[in-house]
Amino acid sequence: MKKTGFRFNYLRRNITNMNELLISTPKNIVMSGIRPTGFLHLGNYFGAIRNYVKMQNEFECYFMVADLHSLTTHPDTKELKQNVYRVVAENIACGLDPDKASFYCQSHVRETSELYLYLNMLAYMGELEKTVTFKDKARQNPDNINAGLLTYPVLQAADILLHRAGYIPVGKDQEQHLEMARTFANRFNRRYANIFPEPKAFNYNVELVKVPSLDGTGKMSKSENQAATLYLADDDITIRKKVMKAKTDNGPTEKNTVMPDYIENIFALMKLVCSSDKIEKYTADFNNATIRYGDLKKELGEDMVNFIAPIRLRAKDLLGDEKKLKEIMEQGAEKANKSAKATMVAVREAMGLNY
Ligand code: TRP
């Protein structure tokens, strides 16, 4: 281990048996979290959950419902339990398998809070204040700029480092948080002992799927722009209605014109759920200037219904079975706690908190 050049080298402990403390090597451990705020939508499915379902077959996975994170912006906990249950039910309905991945609730793994505390001493005010998500949320909610909001990225780093995860399947909006998790991990490693691998964003090298909103403005959203977002909990009539209202126009008047953005978006949505024959047909219709958007939307609506309805029904069934939901979360917490406890023994040892 390199001994020079570290500012806090004098604080490092003499740890001889670190390997004994760490049960598994950090390779191939996956971790990600979902905040239980708002309803899951098609963008969550194609952007995240679908990858989780694939990853659970290939890696040691920890997927977590970030209820503690939600307290930074949602102090009212009246609906928290229901929201946690719904996120769990919807993920399972999408194919997440609690026998393969550990799927747990953040507050059920108490070591999260302990590691968060230690990491807070390694996080500087200046860097926390510069975080884009902090500045955004502070602007949106000037009456509740609490310390938890400021240290949100520290809690996220704790989630990740607690399992010594290396692969984090998240979207672009989480890149800065991941960068900070790497910073805190490296700081800990230099100051105390080399425990944490550097967590890196993970995706399957496929082009990132686009799930645009139905009105041609931006992406689908958990809480905003609900009429232009397809939720996994939407009923068939709502799905059809939303799709029929998607922004179109009278169609091209000439052959082979450039597709407007909002029409491109509708084709992007078709690519998610429609057969390639159907997409080819409507692409040809567009190029021949014979396209009928009413027909297209009717077919897209039906395919969306066929895609979402089974997920909604499975989630609904599970939501009615509180006992089963509890079992799933307990099973997940048991696995997550085992991994967390092993890491924390090493962390306490490294920090000299072992007397
Ligand atoms: N901050 C993430 C989001 O808003 C959720 C999250 C919490 C998370 N803990 C995490 C993501 C750990 C990845 C890893 O989407």
Side-chain angles (χ1 to χ4, degrees), residues 77-124:
T77 53
K78 259 202 306 291
E79 289 170 12
L80 184 57
K81 179 175 165 183
Q82 202 47 38
N83 288 340
V84 168
Y85 280 179
R86 203 184 52 244
V87 170
V88 172
E90 286 182 335
N91 274 275
I92 302 285
C94 287
L96 209 103
D97 182 347
D99 289 333
K100 292 179 180 167
S102 156
F103 187 32
Y104 67 100
C105 180
Q106 192 178 29
S107 62
H108 293 175
V109 178
R110 310 277 183 202
E111 279 79 1
T112 307
S113 303
E114 184 186 351
L115 185 55
Y116 167 59
L117 179 90
Y118 301 153
L119 294 177
N120 268 323
M121 317 319 181
L122 297 172
Y124 298 115

Side-chain angles (χ1 to χ4, degrees), residues 31-35 37 52 62 64-66 69 106 133 137 152 155-160 168-171 173-174 177-178 222:
M31 198 275 142
S32 196
I34 317 160
R35 267 176 309 152
T37 52
Y52 298 172
Y62 298 90
M64 175 273 289
V65 182
H69 272 111
Q106 192 178 29
T133 48
K137 287 175 190 165
Y152 183 112
L155 182 55
Q156 183 162 343
D159 295 331
I160 295 167
I168 320 298
V170 284
D173 63 322
Q174 294 296 312
H177 290 168
L178 263 193
K222 264 189 196 166

Side-chain angles (χ1 to χ4, degrees), residues 48-317:
I49 304 172
R50 190 175 57 161
N51 289 339
Y52 298 172
V53 171
K54 203 165 156 196
M55 291 177 105
Q56 69 187 359
N57 294 316
E58 299 169 27
F59 303 99
E60 180 179 335
C61 291
Y62 298 90
F63 299 124
M64 175 273 289
V65 182
D67 57 344
L68 300 176
H69 272 111
S70 78
L71 296 175
T72 62
T73 47
H74 294 64
D76 183 350
T77 53
K78 259 202 306 291
E79 289 170 12
L80 184 57
K81 179 175 165 183
Q82 202 47 38
N83 288 340
V84 168
Y85 280 179
R86 203 184 52 244
V87 170
V88 172
E90 286 182 335
N91 274 275
I92 302 285
C94 287
L96 209 103
D97 182 347
D99 289 333
K100 292 179 180 167
S102 156
F103 187 32
Y104 67 100
C105 180
Q106 192 178 29
S107 62
H108 293 175
V109 178
R110 310 277 183 202
E111 279 79 1
T112 307
S113 303
E114 184 186 351
L115 185 55
Y116 167 59
L117 179 90
Y118 301 153
L119 294 177
N120 268 323
M121 317 319 181
L122 297 172
Y124 298 115
M125 277 300 274
E127 62 193 339
L128 295 171
E129 280 168 344
K130 274 196 303 204
T131 317
V132 174
T133 48
F134 171 69
K135 289 196 284 190
D136 283 350
K137 287 175 190 165
R139 208 176 306 121
Q140 286 160 11
N141 224 334
D143 296 333
N144 187 20
I145 308 177
N146 59 75
L149 198 61
L150 182 69
T151 55
Y152 183 112
V154 186
L155 182 55
Q156 183 162 343
D159 295 331
I160 295 167
L161 301 181
L162 198 54
H163 303 298
R164 304 172 70 240
Y167 298 150
I168 320 298
V170 284
K172 266 224 151 342
D173 63 322
Q174 294 296 312
E175 225 142 66
Q176 193 180 24
H177 290 168
L178 263 193
E179 180 68 47
M180 295 171 86
R182 279 195 289 277
T183 301
F184 304 145
N186 286 328
R187 244 175 237 162
F188 185 99
N189 289 345
R190 283 203 295 268
R191 194 173 294 183
Y192 299 113
N194 209 353
I195 291 184
F196 299 121
E198 278 199 354
K200 297 204 170 61
F202 178 93
N203 63 54
Y204 273 107
N205 268 344
V206 283
E207 78 184 276
L208 280 185
V209 264
K210 197 175 159 195
V211 188
S213 67
L214 292 162
D215 62 359
T217 65
K219 300 189 299 180
M220 293 198 176
S221 160
K222 264 189 196 166
S223 48
E224 291 152 44
N225 209 2
Q226 299 193 356
T229 296
L230 293 171
Y231 295 95
L232 300 179
D234 279 345
D235 61 40
D236 295 354
I237 294 171
T238 308
I239 296 168
R240 288 192 190 100
K241 250 197 221 150
K242 284 181 177 175
V243 173
M244 289 315 285
K245 280 203 186 134
K247 180 171 174 178
T248 50
D249 52 31
N250 294 329
T253 48
E254 282 172 51
K255 288 188 176 181
N256 300 316
T257 54
V258 177
M259 227 181 237
D261 290 355
Y262 49 90
I263 301 297
E264 236 177 43
N265 285 347
I266 293 186
F267 275 88
L269 290 171
M270 286 183 78
K271 284 201 186 104
L272 303 175
V273 295
C274 297
S275 68
S276 47
D277 287 357
K278 207 175 279 180
I279 296 164
E280 270 166 38
K281 175 201 174 303
Y282 281 106
T283 308
D285 286 356
F286 180 88
N287 289 330
N288 292 325
T290 55
I291 192 162
R292 292 159 62 117
Y293 289 130
D295 295 349
L296 181 158
K297 288 197 275 189
K298 218 176 244 158
E299 295 209 52
L300 176 60
E302 279 327 295
D303 288 341
M304 281 293 178
V305 165
N306 289 332
F307 182 81
I308 292 174
I311 297 177
R312 181 189 67 232
L313 293 174
R314 278 197 297 271
K316 196 166 166 241
D317 266 0

